[in-house]
Amino acid sequence: MARSRRGAGRRLAGALALVLAAAGVTGCGTFSTGDDRERAVEIAERVAPGELEVIGARTLFPQAGGSEVSFRVVGDADAVVRLRVDAEKSDCEGRDCAERLTAELADARREADGFRLMRREFGACGYEVHGLSADGTGPWIAAPVDAESVRPLVVSVGACLERWTRARGGAAPPYLSVKVAPPERVNGLPGDPGLPSLVRLTSGERLGRLGSGTYHRVGFRAGPGGRLDRESGEIDLVQPFEERQRFAAAVREAAAEWLRTRAEPPLPDAVTSEFTGVWKLVPGRVDRFGGWVLYCERPEGERPVCPGRHALAVTVGPDGALTAEPRAFRDVREGNGLLGLPDEGDGAPSYAWPGP
């Protein structure tokens, strides 16, 4: 409920901002970034004279006062420095602005170095980095995913992630993934080539275009000793919302029919939950997907619902129809507590593609 109230508050604030703007009520610089921008430039000239150039500013209203001012670093085509400043309060998020900018500049240079390392290692594997998540991780690449290319793709991405983690030093993160867009989708991607790479590659418009249709995510886990486990590679199918909803509904319908008529013993009152798991490509196939459907033997409560007492591991085709006998795992949730899906140690199927 609290989350709903916060969401409603944000929507109301946003609507209020639009009404005020339409009415011309913009007193106290609510929507203007001019004073904050001037203040940021003054601080930049004091902290790093001649090193920073403003490339943009955006108001932080209604979530906060002030503005976020973005700088390029002179001589660095990749780095971006973002400073949140409120000229009326003469501070930067409650901290001395010179200290804040000094820290943000150091962070920006470190992030740019990290991006250059990623770009170099992925480039050595034959992949251009077309996009990055907002925190500078999770690269987007382009490659076909079809019957002939999928296995070499998994092997190649695993080798590339291993190369990148080795170059970074230290233990690999618990999980690393790469998003794979169809090659035709990266043609004409939005983004001003004159902007720093870490602005251009993280822009919402660019990431929205990359994720505008179905794509795949290739992920690997870290193994013993913090090294990437090359045997753990899995491929997730990621669909646009409406397509995902249609697919999940078809899977639930097929699973419910199986439970009611073909399960041993049949469960004539069985219902499926709205939950469906992440869909993964079955190793060796691009037209078979594995995932989870939760179910109950019968609806529960005064308002009949199914919280998902048991789980089916299912394999389906692109239309959501079952292509193999599901496997049932009972008691994956106790009461209304947390869901505990089984793992391979419990007999759940593995979707890991064999390593090189």
Side-chain angles (χ1 to χ4, degrees):
M1 289 293 185
R3 182 181 302 172
S4 176
R5 288 195 295 270
R6 287 196 296 270
R10 285 194 295 270
R11 289 191 294 271
L12 178 61
L16 176 61
L18 291 174
V19 170
L20 291 175
V25 183
T26 57
C28 301
T30 299
F31 300 99
S32 172
T33 61
D35 292 345
D36 297 328
R37 183 180 178 127
E38 290 178 8
R39 175 64 175 150
V41 170
E42 292 174 4
I43 299 161
E45 284 303 307
R46 189 167 74 249
V47 170
E51 293 185 45
L52 300 175
E53 296 178 355
V54 174
I55 57 173
R58 67 178 183 91
T59 181
L60 297 175
F61 181 86
Q63 282 76 24
S67 308
E68 181 180 83
V69 181
S70 299
F71 299 87
R72 76 168 75 251
V73 179
V74 174
D76 189 327
D78 303 312
V80 58
V81 178
R82 293 184 173 93
L83 180 68
R84 293 192 168 195
V85 57
D86 189 337
E88 291 186 358
K89 293 184 178 179
S90 298
D91 75 4
C92 295
E93 298 181 286
R95 183 176 174 184
D96 176 77
C97 285
E99 292 180 2
R100 175 72 71 181
L101 182 58
T102 299
E104 295 292 347
L105 178 57
D107 287 345
R109 285 176 167 148
R110 184 171 56 253
E111 290 168 3
D113 286 342
F115 165 69
R116 283 186 282 270
L117 178 65
M118 172 193 289
R119 182 175 59 192
R120 185 190 75 199
E121 299 304 324
F122 274 79
C125 300
Y127 296 118
E128 179 181 352
V129 176
H130 294 284
L132 294 167
S133 60
D135 60 0
T137 62
W140 281 88
I141 64 172
V145 180
D146 54 36
E148 294 184 357
S149 66
V150 63
R151 188 178 297 278
L153 173 67
V154 177
V155 173
S156 176
V157 168
C160 198
L161 287 172
E162 185 176 53
R163 178 186 179 110
W164 176 39
T165 56
R166 191 166 54 241
R168 292 170 63 190
Y175 182 78
L176 282 170
S177 67
V178 173
K179 302 179 184 72
V180 184
E184 62 273 13
R185 197 176 297 167
V186 302
N187 295 329
L189 282 173
D192 182 348
L195 289 174
S197 300
L198 291 178
V199 173
R200 183 167 43 86
L201 297 184
T202 60
S203 77
E205 185 181 9
R206 188 182 188 93
L207 296 179
R209 179 79 62 83
L210 286 166
S212 61
T214 297
Y215 64 90
H216 296 85
R217 183 171 52 232
V218 182
F220 288 80
R221 297 188 298 272
R227 296 176 62 87
L228 194 77
D229 180 0
R230 293 285 298 278
E231 298 287 336
S232 68
E234 295 181 338
I235 310 176
D236 295 343
L237 175 73
V238 185
Q239 300 166 304
F241 177 76
E242 291 185 359
E243 186 176 340
R244 184 169 68 247
Q245 293 293 93
R246 287 194 297 269
F247 179 71
V251 174
R252 288 196 299 270
E253 182 178 349
E257 190 275 335
W258 182 87
L259 285 164
R260 293 166 187 161
T261 63
R262 288 185 282 158
E264 290 294 340
L267 301 170
D269 298 322
V271 291
T272 57
S273 165
E274 288 296 309
F275 170 89
T276 52
V278 173
W279 295 102
K280 298 181 181 294
L281 270 64
V282 173
R285 303 291 295 264
V286 294
D287 60 349
R288 294 291 182 268
F289 313 105
W292 295 97
V293 176
L294 300 186
Y295 72 95
C296 302
E297 294 184 356
R298 60 189 56 82
E300 300 179 11
E302 295 180 4
R303 298 175 57 192
V305 295
C306 172
R309 300 294 178 202
H310 318 294
L312 285 181
V314 299
T315 302
V316 300
D319 59 356
L322 299 177
T323 60
E325 285 290 290
R327 297 172 59 185
F329 295 84
R330 297 185 59 81
D331 303 320
V332 297
R333 190 194 305 275
E334 293 186 10
N336 294 320
L338 295 176
L339 176 65
L341 287 174
D343 56 26
E344 294 173 33
D346 301 314
S350 170
Y351 301 108
W353 289 60

